[in-house]
Amino acid sequence: MLYLLLAFLVAFLVCYLLIKNADKIFLDCKEGVQKFHQWNAIRVGGLSIILSLFATSGAFLIGRKDFASLHFYFILSTLPVFLGGFLEDLTKKVGAKQRLLGGIVSGLLAYFLLDIHLNRVDIPGFDWILSNFLLFSVIFTSFALAGVSNSVNIIDGFNGLASGVAIMVFLAYSYVSYLVGDFFLLYTSLTIVGALLGFFFWNFPFGYIFLGDGGAYLLGFLSGLIGVLLVERNQEVSAWFPFLLLIYPIYETLFSIVRRKFLRSFSPFEADAIHLHTLIHRRVIKLTLGNKIPKFLLNSFTSPYLWFMQILGTIPAVLFWKKTYILMIFSLAFIVFYTWLYFRIIRFKTPYFMQVPVRVIERSKD
């Protein structure tokens, strides 16, 4: 509990200091296809997360935890992917390909520092390749971690969205880590939750500070790396557990690539404003509430809809973390539901159940 409290306090205080004293270089711009705020906000909230994690790593060392050195190497491996995003936050000159490369470098660094790479994904045949060809396994793991890093950045569009999703993910990791007796991953996941809560206080609902690319890429990499560690260190955990747990950001990314490349015929790396979260903001929240509530609340009201999407993956993942075939079925069900929902909204046929909460709010104001 003390380590979790330390993680919370460090992130909370760093966010406070950034909000009170940050230079203009830390401010997020208000123009762009993926910008939905009209107020000054600090863009480098990821700095609070990484500093919190280093602080807890030092506390583990002082407390003589047997996993203290492992935790330090774990945090150290995240630096390339974090710095790639953080430099983009500061300069606006680091492209998506360069940030993706940072994720790959972090994945390789995790292999050298932690001796970790995927030996199984619980798919017959493919597992044999991963187990017998080390180079392929290391490269595959590095690309997978980079992909998950990018996927969390993709969904980071509204107050509390990415951080709320990440809190659910790391709480789920904490629970399963406890069940299998992996105290390194239990402590690590819980301290990440503590850091996220310290950030979340300032981010939702008022949006004083944003994760930025540094924070979003960092959280994505951390969520992927803990998933790999949990699967490789504990054979009873299905490889489909972290996949289903992260299926919302992962499928959002894969769907966006297909949509951009094959349906709209332009680069998958080019930003657009028709992600699921932006459609919900424009065609559910904004279209219904309009100017009836402050703009920052229009932004914040969007996130709970996407938290629900995350819950659809989190609950079955936690319930059936050992059961590969059940996890596969739920993964397929999520993909079908997401795709159906996306095309319903983009065709202006938003399901009624998504409009009910907004109408309740409208009636309560009348």
Side-chain angles (χ1 to χ4, degrees):
M1 181 60 71
L2 289 177
Y3 296 109
L4 191 152
L5 182 60
L6 173 65
F8 171 83
L9 289 175
V10 171
F12 180 90
L13 291 174
V14 170
C15 285
Y16 173 79
L17 293 173
L18 286 172
I19 293 167
K20 292 296 183 182
N21 304 296
D23 192 83
K24 289 183 179 179
I25 192 174
F26 292 150
L27 293 179
D28 193 34
C29 64
K30 303 174 186 177
E31 294 78 29
V33 297
Q34 295 181 333
K35 302 298 179 181
F36 296 94
H37 67 285
Q38 294 300 320
W39 62 90
N40 288 329
I42 307 301
R43 184 177 175 168
V44 292
L47 190 62
S48 70
I49 308 296
I50 194 74
L51 290 178
S52 176
L53 297 182
F54 272 112
T56 53
S57 194
F60 288 149
L61 182 62
I62 294 171
R64 297 184 178 180
K65 291 293 182 183
D66 56 5
F67 53 76
S69 59
L70 184 63
H71 185 271
F72 177 73
Y73 291 139
F74 173 85
I75 303 302
L76 201 61
S77 71
T78 69
L79 286 181
V81 70
F82 168 73
L83 290 174
F86 187 68
L87 289 175
E88 164 63 11
D89 294 331
L90 297 180
T91 67
K92 316 297 189 293
K93 295 180 180 179
V94 181
K97 292 180 181 179
Q98 287 75 28
R99 282 173 272 148
L100 194 63
L101 179 61
I104 295 172
V105 173
S106 276
L108 294 173
L109 191 59
Y111 166 69
F112 288 110
L113 293 178
L114 303 172
D115 190 26
I116 190 69
H117 56 93
L118 281 169
N119 282 318
R120 64 184 177 93
V121 290
D122 292 340
I123 297 177
F126 197 75
D127 284 358
W128 182 86
I129 297 174
L130 290 173
S131 298
N132 289 278
F133 296 93
L134 176 62
L135 181 61
F136 177 82
S137 175
V138 172
I139 293 174
F140 174 80
T141 305
S142 299
F143 272 90
L145 290 173
V148 176
S149 302
N150 184 63
S151 71
V152 173
N153 187 57
I154 290 285
I155 67 167
D156 182 30
F158 295 95
N159 297 345
L161 174 49
S163 53
V165 166
I167 287 170
M168 288 185 242
V169 168
F170 290 110
L171 282 175
Y173 280 144
S174 301
Y175 173 71
V176 174
S177 297
Y178 171 76
L179 292 180
V180 298
D182 194 324
F183 289 99
F184 163 57
L185 294 182
L186 173 62
Y187 275 78
T188 300
S189 299
L190 285 177
T191 51
I192 295 173
V193 171
L196 281 167
L197 290 173
F199 164 82
F200 191 83
F201 179 90
W202 299 104
N203 176 249
F204 185 86
F206 301 107
Y208 294 124
I209 190 168
F210 298 156
L211 279 172
D213 285 350
Y217 274 90
L218 173 65
L219 290 180
F221 186 82
L222 287 170
S223 62
L225 183 56
I226 288 184
V228 172
L229 284 163
L230 188 58
V231 168
E232 291 305 307
R233 288 162 58 96
N234 305 278
Q235 292 300 305
E236 65 267 43
V237 179
S238 171
W240 285 75
F241 164 66
F243 179 78
L244 180 57
L245 191 59
L246 293 166
I247 194 169
Y248 163 49
I250 289 174
Y251 187 64
E252 172 75 41
T253 303
L254 295 175
F255 185 82
S256 297
I257 291 172
V258 172
R259 172 174 54 77
R260 290 169 179 171
K261 182 67 177 178
F262 299 104
L263 300 183
R264 304 191 69 201
S265 300
F266 65 85
S267 172
F269 294 100
E270 186 177 338
D272 63 19
I274 52 173
H275 293 290
L276 180 61
H277 51 274
T278 54
L279 287 177
I280 290 174
H281 177 71
R282 287 174 168 171
R283 300 189 180 182
V284 179
I285 303 298
K286 193 173 181 180
L287 190 62
T288 307
L289 294 180
N291 297 321
K292 298 178 182 179
I293 61 175
K295 289 183 178 179
F296 75 88
L297 285 180
L298 285 176
N299 182 303
S300 301
F301 277 1
T302 305
S303 297
Y305 283 88
L306 285 309
W307 294 342
F308 174 73
M309 295 296 291
Q310 177 59 38
I311 288 171
L312 291 179
T314 301
I315 291 177
V318 168
L319 290 176
F320 304 106
W321 56 275
K322 290 182 179 181
K323 310 294 184 180
T324 295
Y325 292 112
I326 295 178
L327 294 171
M328 287 180 173
I329 291 170
F330 275 105
S331 297
L332 179 60
F334 180 94
I335 289 170
V336 171
F337 176 74
Y338 178 104
T339 307
W340 170 82
L341 182 63
Y342 183 91
F343 284 109
R344 286 276 297 189
I345 296 175
I346 206 166
R347 292 169 181 167
F348 293 94
K349 296 180 180 180
T350 303
Y352 180 77
F353 67 83
M354 296 187 68
Q355 302 174 40
V356 170
V358 176
R359 291 176 177 175
V360 169
I361 293 171
E362 284 184 299
R363 284 197 295 267
S364 67
K365 291 176 66 67
D366 293 339

